[in-house]
Amino acid sequence: MNREPLTPEQELEIIEELKQFDTPTVTNVVATYPGAPTCLGLYHPWDVNWYTDDRLRLMFPELGRVCGFAVTCVYGLPDPTVQGGPSFGDVLRALSDSPRPTIVVIKQDFPQRIRGKIGLCGGNMATAFRSVGCVGILSDGPSRDLGEVREIGLQYMLTGTSPGHGPQAVKAVNVPVEICGMDVCPGEIIHMDENGAVKFPRAYLKDVLERCRLLSREEEEKMAKLASTSDPDLLAQYMAGNYR
C-alpha cells in the first residue's frame, strides 16, 4: 500500500465528512460485501471482530454520529499487590497525545457478579475526557450520569446504565481490547451511531470516505428504483444489483 500520508488537517476533514454517513454505510465499504466495487474487503466479514454486536446502545442519538481515533484503557478492581500501575492521569495523557478527535474505549474487566452494577464513567470523568479532545466513550459495560454527559456533548455507547460503583482502578492504557464483538487497537478509526460501532485502520481513511460517497450515490439510485414499482420481479432484480 503506497499512499501519500495525510496531514492532520486532511485527516480531520475526512473524519468530519465521515459523520455524514451512517455506520452501516461505513461497514458496507469496509468489509460487508466482499467483491463489490465499493467494498475494500479489509476483513473477513464473519471471522474477524471488526464491528460491535447487539449488546451496545447509543445513549444520546440526538447528539448524532461520532468518528475518531481510538484510545484504549482497561478498568477493573484495585489490586493491592500491584504497585505503581497506570492511573487515570495516564489515560488523560494518552488522549492528549493522540491525534484528535478521540474516542476513549474502556474495557471493563470486572468479576461477573458485579459487571452489570458498575456506573464506571460519570460526569467528572467525562468532562476531563472532553477537555483533552474526546468526542465519545465506548465501553462494554454500564456507566452513569447521563444528564451531565449529554450536557457536555460527549457521546456514550454502553451496554446500559447503573447509578453507583465501588473502588476501581486503571489496569492498562493503549493496549488491544475487545468490546462487544469488536477488537480495537490504539490509533484505529472508530465510527459509531445508533446502529453500533465499526473500526478500520487509520491508513484507509481516504479510501473509506471515497467509497462511502460512491456507495451513498448508488444507494440513493437503488432505493429510488425500489420505491418506483410494485413488481416483485423488478424489485428482486434491483435488490440483486441488476437495476441499471
Side-chain angles (χ1 to χ4, degrees), residues 2-230:
N2 295 316
R3 293 183 175 87
E4 276 191 34
L6 299 172
T7 67
E9 292 76 18
Q10 289 172 321
E11 289 184 323
L12 181 57
E13 287 176 6
I14 290 172
I15 284 171
E16 285 302 306
E17 188 171 347
L18 279 173
K19 288 160 57 178
Q20 297 178 19
F21 304 98
D22 61 22
T23 301
T25 298
V26 179
T27 66
N28 285 349
V29 306
V30 168
T32 294
Y33 294 112
T38 54
C39 182
L40 289 163
L42 298 183
Y43 312 105
H44 187 285
W46 292 121
D47 294 344
V48 177
N49 291 332
W50 56 282
Y51 63 94
T52 57
D53 61 30
D54 63 354
R55 286 172 284 177
L56 286 168
R57 292 168 46 207
L58 195 76
M59 295 293 126
F60 311 129
E62 68 276 13
L63 295 183
R65 304 160 190 142
V66 294
C67 183
F69 295 91
V71 172
T72 69
C73 60
V74 181
Y75 267 80
L77 294 178
D79 185 346
T81 67
V82 176
Q83 301 297 320
S87 67
F88 181 63
D90 292 314
V91 180
L92 295 176
R93 281 184 282 275
L95 286 163
S96 181
D97 292 342
S98 170
R100 300 185 183 186
T102 54
I103 294 175
V104 62
V105 182
I106 306 174
K107 178 71 180 177
Q108 297 199 25
D109 186 20
F110 291 92
Q112 187 62 37
R113 64 184 175 82
I114 60 171
R115 275 192 58 83
K117 297 185 65 176
I118 302 157
L120 190 145
C121 183
N124 291 330
M125 189 183 292
T127 300
F129 289 158
R130 187 66 164 158
S131 295
V132 287
C134 186
V135 295
I137 296 168
L138 172 64
S139 183
D140 63 346
S143 281
R144 61 180 183 170
D145 292 346
L146 294 188
E148 293 177 1
V149 178
R150 181 190 294 110
E151 185 68 23
I152 65 173
L154 198 66
Q155 190 57 275
Y156 246 171
M157 181 167 276
L158 312 166
T159 59
T161 58
S162 182
H165 64 72
Q168 56 192 33
V170 179
K171 301 177 70 174
V173 178
N174 266 349
V175 296
V177 296
E178 183 273 331
I179 302 291
C180 295
M182 182 171 72
D183 296 329
V184 183
C185 290
E188 291 186 304
I189 304 298
I190 292 177
H191 188 288
M192 65 189 197
D193 67 9
E194 66 268 24
N195 297 284
V198 61
K199 63 87 176 271
F200 60 89
R202 176 182 185 176
Y204 286 91
L205 264 169
K206 186 176 180 181
D207 304 80
V208 169
L209 176 59
E210 289 173 349
R211 282 163 176 76
C212 280
R213 290 169 177 163
L214 179 59
L215 179 61
S216 182
R217 291 193 293 268
E218 290 185 355
E219 290 288 289
E220 286 179 10
E221 178 185 348
K222 188 172 186 175
M223 285 190 285
K225 288 181 177 292
L226 289 167
S228 70
T229 182
S230 60

